[in-house]
Every structure is written in structure tokens, then in C-alpha cells.
Amino acid sequence: MTLPALALHGGAGTITAASLSAQDARGYRQALHDIAAAAQALLLEGGSALDAVCLAVQMLEDCPLFNAGHGAVFTHAATHELDAAVMDGRDLRAGAIAGVSRLRNPVHTARAVMEDGAHVLLAGAGAEAFAQERGLTFVDPAYFSTPMRREQLERVRAAGRVVLDHDGASAVAEASGKPRTPLDEDRKMGTVGAVAVDRHGHLAAATSTGGMTNKRVGRIGDSPLIGAGTYADDRYAAISCTGSGEMFIRAAAAYDVCARMRYAGQSLTEAADAVVHQSLPALGGTGGLIAVDRHGNLALPFNTEGMYRAHVRGADAPVTAIHR
Ligand code: ASP
């Protein structure tokens, strides 16, 4: 029997002390704590890693603090286009959706795509038609909008940039010649993800995102791409990424963690660190990832100032953190 373990992220980036008040930080950590505790309870009751990561990501999607589901960032056209993926390490089954705008919990549809088994990735109207057939919950696109995200879009548009969720304020500060504070609320990637190992030693990963603020309509990031932002293989690791998606795609970041373990004999920590601190920076990639192996080892490296994160091992209390 394996001791269950789980890690979550709510995005990485330049999370500045100036823009993140002590009170806000407490709010983020409380949310991460409660979501980790819910997924932990499921694992301790004998639930599967797959169920645990889907529950955690669904709760993160429902929480307006994070850039997924309710609270997702805006595209340049002030719309929302959401991406999500799920992978089961037992048999390498995977499901993902991209560019949807009316599904309340994109992770549920990603899982339904996986369970259906015919395809791995469905996009746009086709993904929504599939979700309709499955009876999944639809919402008005306005459900995803929050005043905070709209303000963020206005700031970022004014600065003429396309930025990761948490990178917006810094981009504006730079453009306006104001000094950058050390950790900046808008300079972070608010994508959410979870990885878990259950008591049977099975692994799973799930990721969900609104993408990048002011992104071009139709742009798809790494999150729903199996091997880029999401991957799970019982023999090696389960991984969920957050960061500058284009570079994570080019680096095949999530799969590279498994490949390093498989072909180079690296440990989980060595492999995850190499991807985040070597491969991604070599391409100009910023962000982080969470990873777990079948022994319950966890790695949560990031190359930005902060990453919203939590982890649990066995029945220990969840540990949450934002900065280094
Ligand atoms: N990786 C995500 C994307 O490029 C963004 C993020 O992590 O916040 O869509």
C-alpha cells in the first residue's frame, strides 16, 4: 500500500508583496488548504488519484481567485476561452478540451472525453456539443467574468501586452516606468492543476486554465496538450504545469519530466528541477510545475517569484505556500 499524496497549484509568477496583501495571501492559502484537504479526505477514504485530481481541479475552477472556470482571464476580445486536461497514469488514457466558453467545469468534460475514449482532444464548438450530449453543466459565458479580471484586461490592453494571468500589473508598471515591486499579483500564471498518487500507487494529473490575459482568440496553451502541460504515467510521475504556455509546449515540459526519469534515471526532483530551471529558461520559459511519483515523492519547483501551491502526504495537515 502506498501512502497517498497530492499536490495542487493555482499558478506561478511575479506575485508581489505590494499587490498581494497579507489578507489576500491568507485568502489564497485558505482556499488552497481547503481544496487540498477535500482531495486528501477522498484519497484517505480509498478514492482514486483520478477522482482526487478531478475534485481538486473542479474546486479550483469554482474558486474566483484562480484563472480557471469562474475567474478565468479574458482574451483580447473580452471573451473567455478555457482549456483543460486529465490523464490517468494507470493506462495512459487522457482527455482534454480547448477553447470552450460555456462549460462550467472544463475538467469534467476533459474527463468525459477520456472516458469516452474515441478522441483525446476536442476543441471549441465540437467540445461543447460533446459536453451537451453527456449532460454536463453549461453556464452563460458571463459566469466566468469577475470585475478583477476585467480590470486586468483593461490594464494589459492599455500596455499592449499579452500576459500570464499574474503578470499584468508588472507589465503595466514597466510600461509606465514605475519600478517593479518584487512580487506582483498580476505577474503570475493562475492556471490550476493537481497531481496525486493513491493508496494503490496509481497516479493522475489534471490541469485547467483560462490561458493568458489578452491572448489572441483561438490561442491554445500547454495546459490541454498531453505531454506539454499535463502528463501521468504510473511508472514515472504525474505532472501539471503552469507558466508561459508556448515555451512549455516547445519543451514538452510535462513529458520531459517522465522522459528524464525513464531514460536518464533521474529522480523525480532531479527531473522536475532540470525542466524548470534548465530546459524552460533556455527557451525563455517562466513558471513551474507540480509532480508526484508512485512512492509519494513530491516536487513543486518554479522559476518565478512565487507559485500558489499546496501539498499533502498521508493524513498530515495540508501545507500551503505562495513564495519561495
Ligand atoms: N500555461 C497557461 C497557458 O499558457 C497559463 C498559466 O499557466 O497561467 O495557457
Side-chain angles (χ1 to χ4, degrees), residues 27-145:
Y28 274 102
R29 292 182 69 160
Q30 189 66 49
L32 290 164
H33 174 280
D34 294 350
I35 294 168
Q40 174 185 38
L42 189 152
L43 286 171
L44 291 175
E45 282 160 14
S48 69
L50 183 64
D51 284 341
V53 298
C54 289
L55 173 67
V57 168
Q58 177 220 299
M59 292 178 77
L60 288 159
E61 286 174 341
D62 289 342
C63 177
L65 295 174
F66 304 105
N67 170 21
H70 183 48
V73 299
F74 284 98
T75 66
H76 183 69
T79 54
H80 300 285
E81 293 187 348
L82 313 175
D83 305 332
V86 174
M87 187 156 182
D88 187 339
R90 276 178 296 199
D91 45 16
L92 307 185
R93 283 188 315 155
I97 55 166
V100 299
S101 54
R102 297 185 303 138
L103 298 175
R104 179 185 164 120
N105 289 108
V107 70
H108 289 166
T109 304
R111 181 165 181 173
V113 171
M114 178 180 89
E115 280 165 356
D116 178 68
H119 302 296
V120 169
L121 174 60
L122 294 178
E128 292 186 350
F130 170 85
Q132 197 128 40
E133 281 167 26
R134 302 288 142 149
L136 289 152
T137 308
F138 277 68
V139 287
D140 186 276
Y143 162 80
F144 300 112
S145 311

Side-chain angles (χ1 to χ4, degrees), residues 67 164-165 189-191 209 211-212 219 221-223 242-246:
N67 170 21
L164 290 154
D165 173 25
M189 302 73 153
T191 289
T209 189
M212 290 169 66
R219 177 266 186 190
D222 59 312
S223 308
T242 174
S244 45
E246 281 67 13

Side-chain angles (χ1 to χ4, degrees), residues 4-310:
L6 164 113
L8 312 178
H9 70 74
T14 311
I15 304 160
T16 67
S19 57
L20 187 68
S21 67
Q23 194 186 338
D24 288 347
R26 271 197 301 279
Y28 274 102
R29 292 182 69 160
Q30 189 66 49
L32 290 164
H33 174 280
D34 294 350
I35 294 168
Q40 174 185 38
L42 189 152
L43 286 171
L44 291 175
E45 282 160 14
S48 69
L50 183 64
D51 284 341
V53 298
C54 289
L55 173 67
V57 168
Q58 177 220 299
M59 292 178 77
L60 288 159
E61 286 174 341
D62 289 342
C63 177
L65 295 174
F66 304 105
N67 170 21
H70 183 48
V73 299
F74 284 98
T75 66
H76 183 69
T79 54
H80 300 285
E81 293 187 348
L82 313 175
D83 305 332
V86 174
M87 187 156 182
D88 187 339
R90 276 178 296 199
D91 45 16
L92 307 185
R93 283 188 315 155
I97 55 166
V100 299
S101 54
R102 297 185 303 138
L103 298 175
R104 179 185 164 120
N105 289 108
V107 70
H108 289 166
T109 304
R111 181 165 181 173
V113 171
M114 178 180 89
E115 280 165 356
D116 178 68
H119 302 296
V120 169
L121 174 60
L122 294 178
E128 292 186 350
F130 170 85
Q132 197 128 40
E133 281 167 26
R134 302 288 142 149
L136 289 152
T137 308
F138 277 68
V139 287
D140 186 276
Y143 162 80
F144 300 112
S145 311
T146 61
M148 193 262 273
R149 297 301 184 202
R150 197 172 288 281
E151 240 175 70
Q152 197 173 37
L153 173 67
E154 293 315 323
R155 283 200 308 270
V156 170
R157 262 183 177 169
R161 300 264 295 262
V162 176
V163 298
L164 290 154
D165 173 25
H166 308 311
D167 281 3
S170 267
V172 173
E174 273 167 36
S176 64
K178 282 194 233 137
R180 246 179 66 187
T181 39
L183 288 169
D184 183 330
E185 170 61 13
D186 277 353
R187 253 188 121 82
K188 61 183 170 64
M189 302 73 153
T191 289
V192 306
V195 296
V197 57
D198 61 31
R199 61 155 70 146
H200 304 293
H202 296 310
L203 304 181
T207 311
S208 182
T209 189
M212 290 169 66
T213 299
N214 204 24
K215 68 183 179 182
R216 183 178 267 274
V217 169
R219 177 266 186 190
I220 293 167
D222 59 312
S223 308
L225 301 186
I226 300 305
T230 308
Y231 202 74
D233 181 336
D234 272 9
R235 297 168 297 173
Y236 306 104
I239 302 103
S240 170
C241 301
T242 174
S244 45
E246 281 67 13
M247 289 72 164
F248 281 70
I249 294 170
R250 290 163 56 205
Y255 180 71
D256 196 36
V257 174
C258 291
R260 286 169 177 279
M261 295 173 76
R262 178 172 190 173
Y263 302 118
Q266 292 185 342
S267 69
L268 180 82
T269 302
E270 287 167 344
D273 281 348
V275 169
V276 169
H277 298 299
Q278 294 168 23
S279 307
L280 286 165
L283 300 174
T286 57
L289 59 81
I290 53 172
V292 64
D293 70 14
R294 69 194 146 133
H295 307 295
N297 295 307
L298 294 165
L300 299 88
F302 51 97
N303 61 29
T304 48
E305 276 83 349
M307 179 166 83
Y308 292 106
R309 61 200 187 278

